[in-house]
Structures are given as C-alpha cells and as structure tokens.
Amino acid sequence: MDENLSRGYCQLNSPQVGRKWKGGISSRDNITPPRDPCSCVYLSLVLAGAGFLLPYNSFITAVDFYQGRYPGSTIIFDMSLTYIVVAFVSVIINNALIEALRMPVRITFGYILSFFTLMMIALCDLWLQLFTLDVAYFITLIAVGVVAVGSTVQQSSFYGYTSMLPKRYTQAVMTGESLAGVLVSTNRILTKALLRDERLNTVIFFGVSIATLVACFVVFHVSRRSNFVTFYVTLCQGNSERRDDKRKRLTSRPSYTEDVSLVDLQDQAGGPRYGVLVIQSPATTPSESNRAFQPEEQSALTHAPSLTTCDDEAHLTETADIIFSKTNNYTVTFSTWSAIKRGLITRYEVSRSVWPYMLSICLAYFVTLCLFPGIESEIISCRLGTWMPVIMMAAFNASDVVGKILASIPHDWSRARLVLCTFCRVLCVPLLMLCTTPRIHPVISGEAWPIIFSLLLGLSNGYFGSVPMILAPTHVPDEQREICGNIMTLSYSFGLTAGSAAAYALDYLLDPITGSVRDRCSTLTPDLNATTPIHVTQFLSTQLPV
C-alpha cells in the first residue's frame, strides 16, 4: 500500500462551496452607515427625478405654442395618450429586462434617448421647420413616444434604485418629478414673457430644457459613486446574493458536490483493486451511491477500468467528464424556464404584500390623467388668452411639489384609509368639468375657480401619488425592494394609461373644438382687443375675478 501511495495514489476532494460578499457587509453587522453630507445625495435624486420627466413636461407645457400651431386639434390629448401608452408598454418590457441590463445602463440609455429627441425637435422642427404641418404633427407624436421610452426606463429604474436607499430618498425622486413641472413652467413663463415671437421663444424654451437634462445626467453619475449610495446598494445586493447561494445549496444534487474520491473496492476474485472513481454523498452508503445516477452514468462507473497508477489519470478525467457533461446538459435545458418561473413567483409574492399600495397609486394617477393636461388645457379665458393653460399647468405643478414635500412627513396610514382617501379625489373630475362646459359660458365661470381646482388636484396628486410609493418597499424584504419599485411603477403606468384614455371620453362630452382661443372668444364679444392674449406686464397687474 505504501508503495502504491508513493507512485501516486491520492484522494480528490471537492472545494468548499461558499461566496464572500464583495462589500463585506452583512445586514446583521454592527456597522454605522455613512452619512449623506449636506443632503447632497438627496438633492441629486431630486434633480434626477426632474430629469426623467422634464422632456415630456417640455412638450405639454408648450401648450400655447402647439394650440396656436394646430388650432382646433386635440394635440395635447394626443401627446398625453401617446406618452402614456408607450410608457405602459415600456415599463412592462423594463420589468422583463430588469435582470438583463444593469441599472446605470438603463438610466443612461434613457438620458441619451431623451437628449437626442429634444435636440431633433428643437432644431429640425421648431427652428428650421423642415416639415409641413401634417408631417410635423405626426413627428411630434413620434418624438413624444420616443421620450416616453427613455423616461419610463429611467423612472422604473430610479424607483428600484431608491428602494434600496432609506425611504426618504424615494420621496426625493417624487419631489423631483413635480419639480420638473415647476422648472418647465417657470422656463415657459419667462421665455413667453421676454419674447413675443412664439417660434423663437419656444426654441429657447426647448434649449433650456436640454441644458437642464444634461445637468441631471452628470449629477446622477457623480452621486451614485458616493459612499452613502454604495453602502446601501451593496447591502441590498448582498442580501440577494446570500439568498441565491442558500437556494443553490438547497437545490444542488449532493451526489455531485459532496465527495469525490478514489476508494478501495474488491474485484470479483476477491483481491483488492485501487483507483476506481466513486462519487458519493454522506447521506448514502457506498453501495447506495450508484443508484443516484441514470443508467448510462452508472454504466460509465461500473465499467470504469481499474486504475493502478497516476499514469491512468487521463482516463479517470475522461470518465468524469462523461458523467458531468450529461448533468450539465440537463441543467441548461431547464435553467431558462426556472429563471422565468422564479421571477414570476417573486413578483407574485411582492404583489400580494403591496397590492393596496398598487391600487392607491393607480387610482391617484387615473384621476390626475383624466384632467391633466387635457381637460385643463381646454379651459378658456378670453381675458388671459393663451396664458390661461400655461398658468393652469404652473398652478398644478407648483402644488404638486408641495404635496410631495408633505408626503415626506411620517404618518401612520392604514391601507384601507389610504385607498379610501385616494378614491375621494374623483370629486375633482366633475368640478373641473363644470369649468369647461359649455365651452364659452361654463357653469363655473371666471379664472380663479379653475386655478383653485387645479391647485387642489396638484396638491392631492403630489401627496397620494407619493405615499404609496414610499410605504410599499417597507413591506418587502431588502432583496426584493428593486422589484417592488418596478411593480409599483407598473401600477402607476396602468393608472396613467386608463386615465389618459378616460380623458378622451370626457373631452367627447364637451362641445366640439372650433378654431383658436381668439376665434372662440370672438363669438362671445366683437371687441377683438379683449380677446387678444395679454402680455406678462398686463397679466401681473390684472386682478383675477372670483
């Protein structure tokens, strides 16, 4: 035996299975998280939230330009529906590809897509005017659809990203969404006030939006490399890795991973033979181990030649390759289906935990899209002219920011009460509809009441559109937070889509659109000076009637 060992008899042991987490951090470790100095990460996420909704807001906030360019059309309704439908499809695709592309790649893709789309519209359509009106209308809707793809990929990814951070950072992104509307509205008011040329001030308006988008892109990539973000992202990813390792250990076949050795066996003549490969598990005896293999694999073992020296190591390796190649082929065949099944099961489990929040955010944005921007853009003011839709959108966006800031204040919302309060927002629909019908002599007349209702709609949208998104990730494990963020975004997109479609039904109930604001007001009074859109200096000195 000693002579045989000196000639190379040995034992083959499998390496210990185990993975060390890259960050070296465990959720059970007593480690103090790094701080967010001067709330730099928080502010960067506010700006990031503004960045992915800024392109769409740029289109709809230029409502005065597009209504003047396409009088009598439903251009704002068409933009809204195009954006929402494309966004809904995009968020479904993004949920399917969440594990195929890394989060920074998805967000960068969205920024680049939005940047080139806005550049094309500003230069080719607005400045150079290379297209006819009919073609330009079609190209505008295509541009809105392309922007929807980029924005939705970013939005879904950002919510998954912030779900791995403390919950106040989810509220930061939501505040940024509203801030996008405020920034764009301020941009539009200034450009419209300083320049009377509608085409020129709209080109400058889009140029400022493009510059802001670039700033958002740079700030995001700087902040995501901070120690604060790295700590929390690594923590959540580490929990996920440990869960996957545990699943692999539980589902792996012990007969292939436990012990591979050269053992002594007796041949038929009763003499000892050494070097026959046997793969066995501690749970089975040597005599039982052969039954763990398929017939072909067992045959490969049974007929393995007797090995007496390390000169026969090549034959030993070839025999082992036959066994493991069959196992690998079996594994590859079912790996794709197992991944899909595991993903669906995970999403189902997350949905069961957060479905009240999914319903709340769906209801919140359904009501909002029924009225904004479509119905609000149809409210006519012969006194304010083309300023009226701009002011209405500015009022909504400003109050939306306030609502999302209020959502950061901790409050113990029960699930039922949250859903009920969100549903009560339906009352905003008849109130704003009474401000638009009939077109020239609405039931609720004047400029003040529509603005007040728009403020109420924005305030409630900001609050009840944020609270469900903030609370939902707290009801799932850390490793499922990114998926939770994507599922909540899917519910959000469903509410947007349904609300945008319902806006067409509400618009159908109104009188048909005929001509521009000036044309509609001319039927009310022959004094055309009263129907001419006032300039900003006149507007600021005007006392709005109640």
Side-chain angles (χ1 to χ4, degrees):
M1 181 67 175
D2 292 338
E3 180 183 0
N4 287 334
L5 288 174
S6 66
R7 294 173 59 186
Y9 289 104
C10 57
Q11 177 152 341
L12 306 176
N13 292 321
S14 61
Q16 181 69 25
V17 179
R19 294 179 62 185
K20 185 178 181 180
W21 193 2
K22 295 180 181 180
I25 305 170
S26 172
S27 60
R28 295 183 296 271
D29 292 341
N30 187 18
I31 297 178
T32 302
R35 293 186 176 183
D36 180 10
C38 301
S39 296
C40 292
V41 175
Y42 181 90
L43 295 176
S44 71
L45 288 173
V46 171
L47 190 58
F52 63 73
L53 278 187
L54 187 141
Y56 170 63
N57 277 279
S58 298
F59 280 102
I60 64 171
T61 307
V63 54
D64 56 318
F65 171 78
Y66 284 112
Q67 285 183 338
R69 192 181 191 187
Y70 308 108
S73 68
T74 57
I75 179 65
I76 300 301
F77 288 89
D78 296 341
M79 284 183 181
S80 178
L81 184 63
T82 300
Y83 179 89
I84 299 306
V85 170
V86 175
F88 182 70
V89 175
S90 298
V91 77
I92 294 176
I93 296 175
N94 185 67
N95 269 272
L97 298 179
I98 183 175
E99 296 175 356
L101 297 175
R102 295 173 58 245
M103 179 269 298
V105 175
R106 299 195 302 268
I107 293 177
T108 301
F109 166 78
Y111 275 123
I112 293 175
L113 202 61
S114 298
F115 173 80
F116 283 105
T117 303
L118 290 180
M119 284 289 293
M120 187 273 293
I121 290 295
L123 294 177
C124 299
D125 184 31
L126 302 179
W127 179 247
L128 299 177
Q129 293 187 340
L130 301 179
F131 315 110
T132 63
L133 283 180
D134 292 340
V135 175
Y137 192 101
F138 182 68
I139 288 177
T140 300
L141 295 182
I142 291 178
V144 171
V146 174
V147 162
V149 175
S151 299
T152 304
V153 170
Q154 286 179 284
Q155 186 177 37
S156 182
S157 300
F158 266 117
Y159 280 131
Y161 171 49
T162 57
S163 293
M164 295 184 284
L165 305 178
K167 63 182 181 180
R168 68 185 292 256
Y169 291 87
T170 299
Q171 182 268 340
V173 174
M174 293 185 165
T175 302
E177 290 181 8
S178 300
L179 182 63
V182 173
L183 292 175
V184 172
S185 294
T186 303
N187 178 17
R188 187 56 188 157
I189 290 174
L190 292 176
T191 53
K192 185 177 177 66
L194 297 176
L195 297 170
R196 290 181 178 272
D197 188 333
E198 290 291 336
R199 184 170 70 91
L200 180 59
N201 65 39
T202 305
V203 171
I204 296 175
F205 165 74
F206 273 93
V208 174
S209 295
I210 292 171
T212 307
L213 188 67
V214 173
C216 295
F217 172 77
V218 173
V219 169
F220 161 70
H221 279 284
V222 171
S223 66
R224 78 179 184 86
R225 291 179 172 86
S226 66
N227 292 333
F228 179 85
V229 172
T230 302
F231 174 85
Y232 283 102
V233 170
T234 304
L235 185 66
C236 288
Q237 291 177 345
N239 289 337
S240 179
E241 288 178 3
R242 288 194 299 275
R243 181 196 61 186
D244 291 341
D245 286 344
K246 182 178 180 180
R247 183 188 296 115
K248 289 178 182 178
R249 289 195 300 270
L250 291 175
T251 58
S252 60
R253 296 178 66 176
S255 58
Y256 292 99
T257 59
E258 293 297 335
D259 189 31
V260 182
S261 61
L262 294 175
V263 298
D264 298 345
L265 295 177
Q266 297 291 330
D267 63 3
Q268 293 178 354
R273 302 177 69 97
Y274 303 101
V276 178
L277 178 67
V278 174
I279 304 177
Q280 62 186 26
S281 168
T284 61
T285 63
S287 61
E288 294 173 339
S289 61
N290 285 340
R291 290 198 295 271
F293 299 96
Q294 299 297 327
E296 295 181 0
E297 298 167 355
Q298 185 174 353
S299 177
L301 288 176
T302 304
H303 295 87
S306 175
L307 303 179
T308 58
T309 69
C310 286
D311 296 335
D312 298 315
E313 183 177 349
H315 202 127
L316 173 63
T317 303
E318 180 180 356
T319 304
D321 288 342
I322 294 174
I323 299 171
F324 289 110
S325 64
K326 294 179 180 295
T327 305
N328 290 336
N329 291 336
Y330 177 84
T331 303
V332 170
T333 303
F334 293 95
S335 61
T336 303
W337 166 245
S338 297
I340 294 174
K341 183 179 179 181
R342 185 168 62 252
L344 292 175
I345 292 175
T346 301
R347 283 160 175 77
Y348 172 73
E349 292 173 350
V350 171
S351 298
R352 286 186 59 187
S353 300
V354 300
W355 71 264
Y357 304 107
M358 295 169 61
L359 178 60
S360 294
I361 200 167
C362 181
L363 284 172
Y365 284 100
F366 170 78
V367 173
T368 299
L369 264 292
C370 284
L371 302 170
F372 180 88
I375 297 298
E376 286 201 357
S377 68
E378 292 299 313
I379 296 176
I380 299 173
S381 171
C382 295
R383 188 174 185 180
L384 297 179
T386 57
W387 278 98
M388 187 61 182
V390 175
I391 294 172
M392 289 287 292
M393 292 190 179
F396 174 88
N397 290 325
S399 60
D400 191 37
V401 171
V402 175
K404 288 182 177 176
I405 292 175
L406 293 176
S408 63
I409 301 175
H411 183 74
D412 186 18
W413 280 98
S414 66
R415 299 185 178 190
R417 188 152 51 102
L418 181 61
V419 173
L420 179 62
C421 291
T422 306
F423 182 78
C424 289
R425 297 184 68 241
V426 174
L427 294 174
C428 292
V429 175
L431 291 176
L432 275 168
M433 285 292 292
L434 293 176
C435 296
T436 59
T437 183
R439 297 265 187 185
I440 304 301
H441 300 282
V443 176
I444 301 178
S445 59
E447 290 83 7
W449 282 113
I451 293 175
I452 292 174
F453 294 150
S454 183
L455 289 170
L456 180 61
L457 180 69
L459 183 67
S460 59
N461 178 77
Y463 189 83
F464 292 108
S466 299
V467 170
M469 191 69 79
I470 294 172
L471 295 180
T474 63
H475 290 77
V476 297
D478 289 346
E479 63 270 17
Q480 294 179 347
R481 286 192 170 191
E482 184 176 5
I483 293 177
C484 177
N486 282 270
I487 289 177
M488 289 296 292
T489 307
L490 180 63
S491 302
Y492 158 92
S493 298
F494 184 81
L496 293 177
T497 305
S500 183
Y504 274 97
L506 295 176
D507 184 61
Y508 180 78
L509 299 177
L510 302 177
D511 300 334
I513 300 176
T514 56
S516 63
V517 174
R518 182 184 177 90
D519 296 333
R520 300 178 211 176
C521 290
S522 65
T523 62
L524 179 65
T525 173
D527 183 7
L528 296 182
N529 290 330
T531 65
T532 303
I534 64 176
H535 198 54
V536 66
T537 55
Q538 297 170 284
F539 166 69
L540 293 176
S541 61
T542 300
Q543 178 71 31
L544 295 179
V546 179

